[in-house]
């Protein structure tokens, strides 16, 4: 089962039977062949779901294949060193996702004997796995109906059922997503159902329509260059490039020089220490005296 939401169909909307039949037909016509589709391994599906968070589909394919080649199982990822995991994640951004995935593998290697849970609740209890990710694994790996409210799914429901509405909250969308997902025609093949919705949502955005802007949860992503996030990524890369460790003062000086070379302000010491402290606390690397060590 998926998230505990009481299914409900919006008043005045096209009948549910008609909606599900049409969405299946539209989705089949827009089907995209992607490497992580029709995969039965829950771990491989989880890796794809984590990578696809806040990252475009076109960028994920080679990272997913390379990551699984290096860490093909939960146990392999659990046995890996954090710097090795982060090194293979470089280029995807949002490195916290890699650490959360590693911690999930660590927990499953012990408690789950190298297997992911096969329930929504069990998945949701793992590090970095939220409702959408847990529902995605249930639908795509286990072929079980689930309430999967992902950005492209959200786009379809906003476009089809809430035309013209602004600021639509997920609490209004989720009952409709649940009603459709557990309808017999969709529940018979959850993969087909959600693949179709994902592909239709991507099609809407590619053709200039972006219904997600009418979602209450929509927010524009802030610019990366010059941001704290960009500085975090720079520091992580620099420390990972020094297996024996590098002085924090050296990293701070080099980061500041890189920012100035890019036409931005030098990085103040307090800002560097704040970012470095966050990264140490999150487990990206450790501090040994004056050194930052992977």
């Amino acid at each position: 089962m998926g998230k505990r939401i009481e299914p409900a169909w919006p008043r005045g909307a096209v009948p549910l039977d008609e909606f599900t039949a049409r969405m299946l037909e539209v989705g089949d016509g827009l089907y995209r062949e992607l490497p992580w589709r029709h995969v039965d391994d829950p771990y491989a599906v989880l890796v794809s779901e984590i990578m696809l968070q806040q990252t475009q589909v076109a960028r994920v394919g080679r990272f997913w294949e390379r990551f699984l080649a290096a860490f093909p199982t939960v146990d392999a990822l659990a046995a890996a060193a954090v710097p090795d995991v982060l090194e293979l994640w470089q280029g995807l951004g949002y490195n916290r996702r890699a650490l959360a995935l590693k911690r999930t593998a660590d927990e499953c290697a012990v408690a789950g004997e190298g297997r992911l849970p096969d329930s929504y609740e069990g998945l949701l209890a793992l590090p970095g796995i939220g409702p959408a990710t847990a529902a995605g694994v249930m639908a795509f790996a286990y072929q079980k109906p689930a309430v999967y409210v992902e950005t492209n799914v959200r786009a379809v429901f906003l476009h089809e059922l809430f035309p013209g509405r602004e600021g639509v909250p997920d609490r209004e969308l989720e009952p409709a997503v649940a009603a459709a997902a557990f309808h017999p025609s969709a529940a018979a093949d959850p993969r087909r159902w959600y693949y179709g919705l994902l592909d239709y949502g991507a099609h809407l955005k590619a053709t200039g329509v972006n219904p997600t802007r009418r979602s209450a949860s929509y927010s524009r992503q802030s610019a990366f260059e010059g941001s704290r996030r960009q500085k975090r990524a720079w520091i992580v890369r620099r420390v990972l490039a020094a297996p024996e460790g590098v002085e924090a003062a050296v990293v701070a000086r080099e980061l500041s020089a890189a920012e100035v070379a890019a036409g931005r302000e030098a990085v103040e010491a307090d800002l560097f220490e704040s970012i470095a402290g966050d990264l140490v606390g999150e487990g990206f690397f450790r501090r040994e005296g004056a050194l930052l060590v992977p």
Side-chain angles (χ1 to χ4, degrees), residues 249-262:
V250 171
V251 179
R253 187 165 59 248
E254 292 179 357
L255 171 60
S256 194
E259 289 294 288
V260 170

Side-chain angles (χ1 to χ4, degrees), residues 34-37 39 41 43-52 59-71 88 92:
L34 299 171
W36 47 82
R37 290 191 166 177
V39 171
D41 178 7
Y43 166 69
V45 171
L46 175 63
V47 173
S48 73
E49 287 294 300
I50 296 293
M51 287 186 170
L52 287 164
R59 295 184 57 214
V60 169
R62 63 188 177 90
F63 284 96
W64 182 76
E65 292 171 342
R66 186 178 68 171
F67 194 90
L68 287 178
F71 314 118
L88 280 183
L92 273 174

Side-chain angles (χ1 to χ4, degrees), residues 203-281:
H203 170 75
L204 289 172
K205 294 177 182 178
T207 53
V209 179
N210 188 359
T212 56
R213 292 174 181 164
R214 296 190 286 105
S215 167
S217 61
Y218 176 76
S219 62
R220 288 185 178 274
Q221 189 177 62
S222 59
F224 178 72
E225 293 301 323
S227 67
R228 185 182 180 95
R229 186 161 55 93
Q230 179 256 334
K231 294 176 179 64
R232 282 172 55 96
W234 194 99
I235 293 170
V236 169
R237 286 195 301 272
R238 179 63 182 88
V239 175
L240 291 180
E244 302 303 318
V246 58
E247 289 187 13
V250 171
V251 179
R253 187 165 59 248
E254 292 179 357
L255 171 60
S256 194
E259 289 294 288
V260 170
R264 296 187 287 269
E265 294 182 359
V267 179
E268 295 184 359
D270 288 349
L271 176 58
F272 175 81
E273 286 300 325
S274 172
I275 296 173
D278 286 349
L279 292 170
V280 169

Side-chain angles (χ1 to χ4, degrees), residues 9-25:
W9 198 240
R11 185 176 303 174
V14 62
L16 180 55
D17 288 347
E18 181 180 333
F19 175 82
T20 53
R22 189 164 68 84
M23 289 302 97
L24 287 168
E25 181 179 356

